[in-house]
Amino acid sequence: MACVCNRARHETARRHESEEFAGAGQECEPRETWSEVRTVTLVARSMVTPSLECVRKQHRHRTATTALRTAPPASAVHARAGEQKAMASQFLNNLVQAITPAPPPPLDYEYDGLEYSWKFFVFRPALFKNEIFLLAAVILYGAFFWFGSRTNQARAKSWLNAHMVIFEKQFSRPTAGDLTADGYSDFFNFSTGRRSVALLHTVFTLRPRHDLLQVAYQVAWGLSDLLYAPKDDVTLDFKLHATAAIPDFVWALVVKGEAKSIKNERWDLTFTKTSENPQIPPNVVIMSEYADVTENMLKIAGPVLEALKNPKIQPYFRSLSITDQPRVRPGVISTNKEKHVILSLVVPPPSHAADSAPLVSAVFGFIDALEKLNLRPETKTKLKRTREDFFKTLKDEAEREAREEAADAKLAAKRRAEEERIASLSAAEQQKLLERDRKRSIRKTQGKVVKK
């Protein structure tokens, strides 16, 4: 295009020169008119104008060439795009296959099995084989849940109803309403309004008969551990009045089969020592802090011991204890001291719910007789010293924990101050500190290796 533009300029210049030469040699010939000159000028301009277009096109050509040189090869771009499309397509295919249900089995128009039809609905039981087992499992689990929950509720209610006569005789408010349920295996009853007893919590902790998986777990555990025997438990927790004149001590009657494991569940019984006595049934042991406490307790526990000798009661008795300590080890010293009498029984089946009534009735007389205890002064001194030693241990543990927390806080504050000081230094000084710490750690490592 540039060559065409130059050629146009040369032809225009030669034409003007020839016209001037002709005008000089032939003076008689007339000169070109103004229209002819204007035409020639426009032609020249039209021939010169494409030169600007040529420049623009050359610029665009150079820009495109530079872009092509700097851009990655087209084949690589297309390859990456193809890989991305293939990966996206594969992901979508996998997703669709995962969420798409299996196609229904093809209908056999020659089906000759059992068939139920109603209007345009047709049900062919022979086509649903796996669904039958699934439906049977759901029905079995639902029936197990219903039967287990009803069984637990019936056991708790039957025991409470069988002993409600005793509660109504002993308390002005034997119950706060119907039996309170916490789930399907835990039930509660609250009684209050009696001399020497602030309140009575009756707590039922039954086996999870409503849960098939938990029952299977308990059965499997019982097969692997012969000492594990889950039972239905009912606990009568008598909280005594704070004004009751009863010494501070821990004493218990425990069935032999649970004498070893009960201390893991009851921290307060760790104060005691186990012993036997001819006055109690042979399947029961005594847990007491001192012999003087046992002698005085056996004097007032006559009705209870007679009830424990009853063969109908023995299968359901677990423990009877009086304690001034919490059942779980405290972490701090508590000024709120409470005394409890705790009777733990196995919940009998509904047909034998009233078998434990004589023992429950005897416990109320046992509680009333506790104020008649007359321990020797030296026994009271020992009991008091035991509790003071434990309180001192708790105090030492609390002080040691406080010191450790203060030391940790001091160390954290020191570390934070050091970090702030390092952050205020220049980059060169920080680099020096880092280099010094690195050399120090290397020396420590080398020293450990040499010692080995």
Side-chain angles (χ1 to χ4, degrees):
M1 182 63 71
C3 296
V4 174
C5 296
N6 294 332
R7 192 182 304 151
R9 295 193 193 96
H10 287 305
E11 289 179 356
T12 305
R14 284 199 303 270
R15 184 175 179 180
H16 281 291
E17 289 176 359
S18 61
E19 288 176 354
E20 289 176 359
F21 180 77
Q26 300 176 0
E27 296 178 357
C28 59
E29 294 181 3
R31 288 187 172 273
E32 296 175 343
T33 61
W34 171 251
S35 61
E36 293 177 351
V37 173
R38 183 178 180 184
T39 301
V40 172
T41 305
L42 289 174
V43 171
R45 288 181 179 177
S46 63
M47 297 176 70
V48 173
T49 301
S51 64
L52 299 176
E53 292 295 332
C54 293
V55 172
R56 294 191 185 98
K57 289 181 178 180
Q58 290 177 0
H59 177 69
R60 286 196 295 270
H61 178 69
R62 287 194 297 270
T63 303
T65 303
T66 304
L68 288 174
R69 289 176 180 175
T70 56
S75 59
V77 174
H78 290 309
R80 285 197 295 271
E83 292 177 358
Q84 294 176 356
K85 290 181 179 179
M87 293 174 62
S89 177
Q90 183 66 24
F91 173 76
L92 291 176
N93 290 336
N94 295 338
L95 180 61
V96 170
Q97 291 178 3
I99 64 177
T100 301
L107 295 177
D108 187 5
Y109 293 99
E110 298 180 357
Y111 177 80
D112 57 353
L114 183 63
E115 179 178 294
Y116 300 96
S117 61
W118 180 73
K119 293 185 178 181
F120 55 87
F121 294 102
V122 179
F123 176 65
R124 296 176 176 179
L127 299 179
F128 297 90
K129 297 179 180 180
N130 297 332
E131 289 79 1
I132 292 176
F133 295 104
L134 179 61
L135 181 62
V138 172
I139 294 175
L140 176 63
Y141 190 86
F144 195 91
F145 175 85
W146 180 83
F147 178 77
S149 58
R150 291 293 298 271
T151 301
N152 283 343
Q153 189 175 17
R155 286 203 169 202
K157 283 189 174 182
S158 63
W159 190 94
L160 186 62
N161 292 334
H163 296 75
M164 186 54 66
V165 176
I166 301 174
F167 289 173
E168 290 175 350
K169 185 185 298 183
Q170 297 291 338
F171 295 100
S172 60
R173 292 185 61 188
T175 180
D178 197 6
L179 190 65
T180 303
D182 183 13
Y184 300 97
S185 59
D186 297 329
F187 302 89
F188 306 92
N189 183 63
F190 179 81
S191 306
T192 186
R194 188 188 186 278
R195 183 176 62 87
S196 301
V197 178
L199 54 91
L200 167 63
H201 280 116
T202 305
V203 182
F204 295 89
T205 306
L206 308 181
R207 295 184 62 187
R209 292 182 175 87
H210 62 285
D211 194 334
L212 179 60
L213 298 179
Q214 291 191 40
V215 171
Y217 172 76
Q218 289 184 348
V219 171
W221 191 0
L223 293 176
S224 61
D225 186 1
L226 299 179
L227 297 178
Y228 176 73
K231 299 177 181 178
D232 295 327
D233 180 75
V234 56
T235 301
L236 284 74
D237 186 358
F238 298 84
K239 180 182 177 182
L240 306 182
H241 276 296
T243 58
I246 302 174
D248 296 337
F249 64 91
V250 179
W251 186 85
L253 294 173
V254 183
V255 68
K256 284 185 178 180
E258 300 187 10
K260 294 182 179 180
S261 61
I262 195 171
K263 288 188 177 182
N264 297 328
E265 303 172 1
R266 296 275 305 273
W267 171 82
D268 55 337
L269 294 181
T270 58
F271 282 73
T272 65
K273 297 179 181 179
T274 305
S275 62
E276 297 183 4
N277 193 288
Q279 300 183 37
I280 62 176
N283 64 325
V284 178
V285 295
I286 296 176
M287 290 186 173
S288 177
E289 293 187 68
Y290 298 102
D292 185 31
V293 177
T294 300
E295 292 177 4
N296 283 271
M297 291 298 295
L298 292 178
K299 291 178 182 179
I300 65 173
V304 172
L305 298 179
E306 290 297 327
L308 290 178
K309 294 177 182 179
N310 188 342
K312 292 185 177 180
I313 297 176
Q314 289 180 358
Y316 309 118
F317 175 73
R318 297 187 66 185
S319 65
L320 172 65
S321 61
I322 175 172
T323 177
D324 68 321
Q325 299 296 320
R327 280 170 278 185
V328 180
R329 188 182 191 276
V332 295
I333 300 175
S334 176
T335 57
N336 185 17
K337 295 183 179 182
E338 298 179 353
K339 294 182 177 67
H340 293 258
V341 173
I342 303 171
L343 174 63
S344 179
L345 301 171
V346 176
V347 180
S351 59
H352 298 275
D355 288 354
S356 58
L359 177 60
V360 175
S361 179
V363 170
F364 286 96
F366 173 75
I367 293 173
D368 293 335
L370 287 175
E371 295 185 0
K372 300 178 182 179
L373 288 175
N374 186 17
L375 301 178
R376 293 197 296 265
E378 55 269 22
T379 302
K380 293 181 180 179
T381 303
K382 292 179 181 179
L383 293 170
K384 183 178 179 181
R385 186 182 303 113
T386 301
R387 280 141 185 80
E388 290 177 350
D389 292 342
F390 173 69
F391 292 153
K392 183 180 179 181
T393 302
L394 284 181
K395 184 178 179 181
D396 294 340
E397 291 177 356
E399 292 178 351
R400 182 171 62 253
E401 185 176 355
R403 287 195 300 268
E404 291 176 355
E405 291 179 356
D408 293 340
K410 184 177 180 180
L411 183 61
K414 183 178 180 181
R415 188 182 298 110
R416 187 165 52 252
E418 181 66 16
E419 292 175 354
E420 293 176 355
R421 185 185 69 82
I422 293 175
S424 63
L425 299 177
S426 62
E429 292 176 342
Q430 292 181 5
Q431 186 65 27
K432 289 181 180 179
L433 288 176
L434 292 175
E435 185 66 21
R436 184 182 64 185
D437 294 340
R438 187 181 67 82
K439 292 180 179 179
R440 185 181 300 168
S441 62
I442 291 174
R443 286 196 300 268
K444 289 182 178 179
T445 305
Q446 291 176 350
K448 291 181 181 180
V449 171
V450 170
K451 289 180 180 179
K452 289 181 179 180

